[in-house]
Every structure is written in C-alpha cells, then in structure tokens.
C-alpha cells in the first residue's frame, strides 16, 4: 500500500513593503490592503521540520530571514484533493516543478 502525499497550505501574512523580494523569489501571493498573503505548500515531513507556533520562526524556517522579519501571522489550511492534484502534478516550467 502506497501512502498518498498530503499537503498543507500555509499562508503567511507579510508587509507589502517586501513585494519586490517576494516577486524576485517567485512566491505565490495575493495583496490584501497593506499585506501580502504568501502561500507555501508543505508535506507532513516538512510541517514537522519547519512548524513553530511563533510566526517569525515559522516564516524563517519556510521562507528566509528577511521575509520572516515582516511576518505578522500565518494560517494553516487542509487542501482539497483537487488543489493537491494541481500542486503535485504541476509540469508548468513557468511556475516551477512542485512535488513531481
């Protein structure tokens, strides 16, 4: 029996002043007022390795030290089966190869 990969979507809230860096890195984000909502997808092992209750530490582990400085909050979401398939089966070189 093979175990299926289950991803969690983590949305970090960063200051919009970091938009240029977020763009340069190529992270998935949306703008909400003066915030950036940056999405990161983690499997169970990554969640175990990177998770921290403190938003700064969690962002530091998942993103980088500079972005972590502006992280004020995060939320973790369970992804639907369709969302996971979209991420896992991503063969678009423009978006990168995620979990192929």
């Amino acid at each position: 029996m093979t175990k299926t990969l289950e991803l969690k979507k983590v949305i970090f809230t960063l200051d919009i002043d970091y938009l240029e860096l977020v763009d340069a890195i190529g992270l998935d984000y949306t703008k909400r007022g003066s915030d950036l909502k940056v999405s990161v997808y983690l499997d169970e092992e990554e969640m175990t390795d990177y998770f921290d209750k403190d938003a700064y530490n969690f962002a530091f582990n998942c993103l980088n030290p500079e972005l972590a400085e502006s992280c004020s909050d995060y939320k973790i979401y369970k992804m639907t089966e369709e969302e996971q398939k979209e991420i896992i089966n991503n063969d678009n070189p423009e978006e990168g190869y995620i979990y192929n």
Side-chain angles (χ1 to χ4, degrees):
M1 185 169 117
T2 60
K3 185 177 178 185
T4 58
L5 182 66
E6 185 174 326
L7 299 175
K8 300 281 188 199
K9 182 177 186 175
V10 181
I11 300 180
F12 292 100
T13 302
L14 307 179
D15 190 286
I16 200 158
D17 292 341
Y18 288 77
L19 176 59
E20 192 173 307
L21 179 57
V22 169
D23 266 339
I25 295 172
L27 296 173
D28 181 19
Y29 71 91
T30 56
K31 294 179 194 175
R32 292 283 196 288
S34 62
D35 293 330
L36 295 175
K37 301 293 186 174
V38 176
S39 300
V40 176
Y41 308 98
L42 303 175
D43 63 29
E44 187 176 327
E45 184 177 335
E46 291 167 328
M47 279 295 292
T48 301
D49 291 345
Y50 302 153
F51 178 75
D52 195 291
K53 289 181 182 180
D54 181 74
Y56 169 82
N57 291 332
F58 194 20
F60 185 96
N61 294 338
C62 293
L63 303 170
N64 70 32
E66 191 171 352
L67 291 176
E69 290 176 6
S70 78
C71 184
S72 60
D73 193 24
Y74 67 86
K75 298 224 183 296
I76 301 172
Y77 298 92
K78 183 174 182 174
M79 297 175 66
T80 66
E81 198 171 308
E82 291 78 28
E83 289 173 317
Q84 289 194 56
K85 284 180 184 176
E86 185 178 323
I87 298 300
I88 292 169
N89 298 320
N90 178 11
D91 285 334
N92 182 347
E94 290 292 314
E95 295 178 29
Y97 299 100
I98 304 172
Y99 293 103
N100 276 353

